Amino acid sequence: MHIIGSPLGREVAYPQRYDPALLFRIDRAANRSVLAIPDAWHGADIWNAYELSWLNARGKPVVAVGRFVVPCSSPRLVESKSFKLYLNSFSETRHDNAQAVQTLMARDLSEATGAPVDVTLTPLGEKNSLAFQPMPGICIDDLDIEIHRYDPAPELLRCLPDAAIVSETLVSNLLKSNCPVTGQPDWGSVLIRYTGPAIDRAALLGYVVSLRRHTEFHEHCVEKMYCDIWHACRPAQLMVHACYTRRGGLDINPWRGSDLEGPPAIRTIRQ
C-alpha cells in the first residue's frame, strides 16, 4: 500500500532547510466513517520528539525535546515520517530563539491539521521531571488465557455476569498493530479507564491481543478500541490511552475519552 504523495514507505532526501510543505496530511473522515462514534468524544494525539535541533542566530546548534498536542477534533492528522522530515528540516536553519521555533511549529502544524496544535519545546539543559514509569492501573497481562484471534475481534468484549458498577483502570503492554503502508509492527501499551459494569478482564485482554495483525495508524487504532469498548460494555465513562514505542525519534500517544479530562503524563520504558 502507498498513500499517494506520502514519503512513508519510500526513500526520500534528507531536508537541508526549513520546509513546512513536508507535512503530509491525512483526512480522519475515511477511517471514522466505519466507526460508530458516540456523542461523548474528546481526546488528542500527543507526540513527543526526541531528535529535535535547529541553529541559533549565530549558527550554533540548539537541541530540545518537543511535545505536540493535536486535538482529535482536527479534520486531519499528520503522517509520522513526514512529521519527522519536517522536524529535521529545522536542523540546518537559523532561528532567533526557541520561542520563534515554537511559534513557527505551532502555526505550521495547526494549518496542516486544521485545528490549534499546542507545541512545547524543552531545551535539554532544563530539568525534565517525566521519568520512565509503568502505566498506572491494574495490569491484566498475567491472566492465564488461551488466545485464538489475532485479527480485530470486538465480539470478544463483554462485562461480567451481573456485573457491579465499578471505577477502575486496566492496563496492557501487549498492544501491537501494524503500519498500513510499510507493514512494520507498532508496539504499545494501552490504558482503559472506565466507570460502568465491570468488564471481563480476560475478554478485554483477548480483544487487545486480537489487534496484533491489524493494519491501521496509531490514532485510528485508539479510536477503534474506544468505540468497540464503548458499544460492547456501555460504560458511563471511558478513556482509552495508548503509548506507542518510539520510532525515528518520535512516539505517538493518542487518547480518546467521554470526558475532557485526559490521561496523566506518562513515559513508558519503551519510549
Side-chain angles (χ1 to χ4, degrees):
M1 175 182 177
H2 177 64
I3 302 174
I4 297 174
S6 168
L8 191 60
R10 61 186 175 90
E11 186 174 343
V12 293
Y14 187 88
Q16 296 298 313
R17 58 185 175 82
Y18 160 70
D19 185 2
L22 291 166
L23 292 168
F24 185 81
R25 303 151 170 83
I26 297 176
D27 289 334
R28 298 187 190 265
N31 175 76
R32 289 177 174 175
S33 67
V34 300
L35 298 175
I37 297 176
D39 293 334
W41 183 257
H42 306 282
D45 306 325
I46 304 170
W47 299 68
N48 294 305
Y50 304 96
E51 299 175 8
L52 183 57
S53 180
W54 62 90
L55 305 178
N56 69 11
R58 300 185 65 185
K60 180 181 176 182
V62 179
V63 292
V65 172
R67 184 176 186 269
F68 310 88
V69 182
V70 182
C72 74
S73 58
S74 68
R76 298 178 294 274
L77 57 88
V78 172
E79 185 273 315
S80 60
K81 185 174 181 180
S82 78
F83 192 12
K84 179 184 178 182
L85 290 170
Y86 164 74
L87 294 177
N88 284 337
S89 78
F90 282 82
S91 65
E92 304 297 331
T93 308
R94 298 189 183 205
H95 299 275
D96 290 338
N97 50 52
Q99 184 59 52
V101 175
Q102 185 169 296
T103 300
L104 192 58
M105 288 181 174
R107 185 200 70 184
D108 293 342
L109 290 165
S110 297
E111 191 280 329
T113 62
V117 175
D118 181 72
V119 178
T120 304
L121 304 182
T122 304
L124 295 191
E126 295 185 11
K127 182 178 180 181
N128 186 347
S129 60
L130 194 58
F132 296 129
Q133 58 181 311
M135 282 185 141
I138 301 168
C139 184
I140 60 176
D141 293 344
D142 289 336
L143 293 174
D144 186 15
I145 65 172
E146 189 167 347
I147 302 290
H148 298 283
R149 294 290 300 273
Y150 302 100
D151 55 299
E155 66 274 14
L156 294 176
L157 290 164
R158 60 178 178 267
C159 296
L160 295 171
D162 301 318
I165 301 300
V166 300
S167 294
E168 64 179 2
T169 302
L170 305 177
V171 172
S172 175
N173 299 304
L174 303 186
L175 177 62
K176 173 190 172 287
S177 55
N178 302 291
C179 173
V181 179
T182 66
Q184 293 185 20
D186 294 322
W187 307 95
S189 300
V190 62
L191 178 154
I192 297 101
R193 184 176 72 200
Y194 75 97
T195 296
I199 294 175
D200 185 319
R201 296 179 183 180
L204 178 62
L205 181 59
Y207 167 73
V208 170
V209 174
S210 80
L211 298 174
R212 198 166 182 82
R213 295 175 185 165
H214 187 50
T215 56
E216 212 162 30
F217 292 117
H218 306 75
E219 300 92 334
H220 296 164
C221 283
V222 170
E223 293 186 350
K224 176 176 177 55
M225 285 188 283
Y226 178 84
C227 291
D228 285 347
I229 295 170
W230 182 269
H231 290 293
C233 301
R234 302 292 178 179
Q237 295 176 302
L238 175 66
M239 185 189 70
V240 176
H241 175 46
C243 291
Y244 282 93
T245 299
R246 185 195 312 185
R247 179 187 292 172
L250 289 170
D251 63 44
I252 310 174
N253 309 275
W255 72 274
R256 300 292 182 267
S258 57
D259 300 307
L260 287 170
E261 182 184 358
I266 300 170
R267 186 182 179 194
T268 71
I269 191 67
R270 294 189 288 186
Q271 297 180 298

